[in-house]
């Protein structure tokens, strides 16, 4: 079969191939298109929508390897596939089996950036952690994410792992708004630390990982200021004009209770968050609509 993807050998910028063109991937694709970069995205059913955005759709499914189309060598690759609970597949299927299929068929990329998660850190004592801290998750989801990281570096040691904190941004807070306005109890420990990142700052980190030559292969992507769940929901309630939040604590020990540093990302990739805390980020997220959703 001939390769449907071709490009000029003289092109200065390699094409960008996105696996998982959702909330994060689509925003990166739009920015890349604005700068003149050719963008491809694997999709199962959004071909028309992607084409309308100037993105070249590649029909295929990471869990059906026979459907994966030929892919260009020397491309920049963003792998940002998340788990859709309604898909009928398990998280292990998507994160491990799907990734393995892609790695088996992917020609050598110019750069491979993988969006991982800070859920791989299992610390529960409120301590500060960085990339040198043990990544020993205690919950199954974190364990699957960690296994995917290990699988990736076994097959592609030069891949860049970006461990993203909880992502927020335009249109990502509507469910929380409704909870607050209805006065529903927020499940969970109000004093547990939350580590967050505005989607625009995550996109900047991804672009830096593509545009520079990272001296390391692992970076935490998180803002400067961890907050407790109580602080987060209290400020959000204030912005929405909702009553102060109240919480329904779960009868379980405090889990995933840690504060995450972004020092390596700042120093090695010269990254600075536009929104260093929720004090700047939440008002911006509520004031901006996302036409792509």
């Amino acid at each position: 079969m001939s390769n449907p993807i071709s490009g000029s050998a003289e092109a200065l910028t390699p094409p960008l191939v996105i696996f998982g063109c959702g909330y994060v991937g689509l925003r990166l694709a739009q920015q890349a298109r604005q700068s003149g970069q050719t963008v491809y995205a694997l999709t199962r059913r959004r071909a028309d929508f992607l084409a309308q955005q100037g993105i070249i759709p590649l029909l295929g499914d990471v869990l059906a390897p026979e459907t994966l189309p030929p892919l260009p060598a020397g491309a920049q690759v963003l792998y940002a596939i998340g788990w859709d609970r309604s898909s009928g597949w398990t998280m292990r299927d998507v994160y491990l089996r799907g990734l393995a299929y892609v790695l088996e068929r992917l020609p050598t990329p110019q750069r491979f950036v993988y969006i991982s998660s800070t859920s791989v850190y299992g610390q529960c004592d409120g301590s500060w952690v960085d990339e040198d801290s043990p990544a020993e998750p205690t919950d199954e989801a974190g364990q699957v994410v960690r296994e995917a990281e290990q699988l990736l570096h076994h097959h592609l040691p030069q891949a860049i792992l970006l461990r993203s904190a909880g992502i927020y941004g335009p249109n990502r807070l509507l469910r929380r708004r409704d909870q607050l306005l209805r006065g529903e109890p927020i499940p969970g420990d109000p004093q547990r630390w939350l580590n967050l990142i505005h989607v625009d700052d995550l996109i900047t980190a991804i672009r830096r990982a593509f545009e520079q030559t990272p001296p390391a292969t692992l970076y935490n992507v998180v803002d400067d200021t961890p907050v407790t769940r109580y602080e987060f929901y209290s400020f959000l309630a204030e912005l929405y004009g909702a009553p102060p939040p109240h919480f329904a604590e779960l009868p379980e020990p405090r889990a995933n209770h840690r504060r995450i540093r972004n020092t390596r990302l700042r120093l090695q990739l010269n990254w600075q968050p536009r929104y260093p805390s929720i004090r700047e980020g939440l008002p911006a997220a509520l004031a901006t609509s996302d036409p792509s959703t």
Side-chain angles (χ1 to χ4, degrees):
M1 180 184 296
S2 63
N3 192 333
I5 303 174
S6 61
S8 169
E10 294 78 27
L12 297 178
T13 304
L16 173 64
V17 178
I18 298 177
F19 293 85
C21 199
Y23 189 69
V24 174
L26 181 60
R27 299 173 84 89
L28 176 69
Q30 291 168 334
Q31 289 189 19
R33 287 290 303 123
Q34 290 171 4
S35 65
Q37 190 173 15
T38 300
V39 181
Y40 302 88
L42 187 75
T43 183
R44 290 178 296 164
R45 53 179 179 265
R46 302 175 72 205
D48 290 344
F49 171 77
L50 294 175
Q52 291 169 4
Q53 305 296 313
I55 302 164
I56 301 171
L58 301 173
L59 288 173
D61 186 337
V62 297
L63 286 171
E66 69 279 2
T67 70
L68 292 175
L71 299 167
Q76 294 180 340
V77 175
L78 174 71
Y79 198 92
I81 288 182
W83 177 45
D84 179 1
R85 286 177 170 81
S86 65
S87 68
W89 297 106
T90 68
M91 186 176 183
R92 185 170 293 275
D93 285 331
V94 174
Y95 277 70
L96 292 171
R97 193 152 60 88
L99 176 61
Y101 288 149
V102 170
L103 293 174
E104 288 170 1
R105 289 157 177 78
L106 183 70
T108 303
Q110 188 258 10
R111 178 108 0 117
F112 191 107
V113 175
Y114 181 88
I115 304 301
S116 186
S117 168
T118 55
S119 66
V120 298
Y121 296 114
Q123 289 79 354
C124 59
D125 58 357
S127 59
W128 284 96
V129 303
D130 60 20
E131 293 86 350
D132 294 321
S133 300
E136 299 171 347
T138 57
D139 63 296
E140 183 180 4
Q143 291 166 2
V144 171
V145 173
R146 181 68 180 121
E147 289 177 40
E149 291 185 346
Q150 293 167 334
L151 172 68
L152 174 61
H153 267 173
H154 174 75
H155 285 270
L156 201 64
Q158 69 273 27
I160 306 301
L161 289 172
L162 298 182
R163 286 179 177 164
S164 174
I167 304 167
Y168 71 96
N171 293 358
R172 269 272 173 125
L173 299 163
L174 299 179
R175 183 173 62 85
R176 294 179 174 88
R177 178 200 64 186
D178 294 342
Q179 281 182 296
L180 290 167
L181 290 174
R182 290 194 296 260
E184 296 177 357
I186 307 299
D189 181 352
Q191 296 308 316
R192 201 198 86 179
W193 288 110
L194 301 179
N195 299 275
L196 302 166
I197 188 70
H198 191 286
V199 64
D200 289 349
D201 288 327
L202 174 56
I203 296 299
T204 301
I206 295 169
R207 292 179 67 91
R208 292 291 170 88
F210 279 131
E211 294 165 0
Q212 301 185 25
T213 302
T217 58
L218 171 62
Y219 295 90
N220 293 329
V221 187
V222 60
D223 69 19
D224 294 341
T225 316
V227 295
T228 64
R229 184 182 271 112
Y230 177 81
E231 292 171 324
F232 175 84
Y233 281 100
S234 294
F235 186 44
L236 193 59
E238 178 184 328
L239 293 174
Y240 279 129
H246 61 285
F247 296 83
E249 294 194 42
L250 303 177
E252 59 185 17
R254 185 172 292 171
N256 300 328
H257 179 58
R258 67 263 163 157
R259 292 168 287 173
I260 300 174
R261 291 191 174 98
N262 60 26
T263 307
R264 180 183 292 181
L265 186 63
R266 280 180 165 275
L267 293 180
Q268 295 189 353
L269 294 187
N270 195 31
W271 172 90
Q272 292 187 7
R274 181 179 180 184
Y275 305 106
S277 78
I278 62 169
R279 290 288 161 181
E280 299 82 17
L282 282 180
L286 300 189
T288 307
S289 62
D290 188 348
S292 66
T293 58

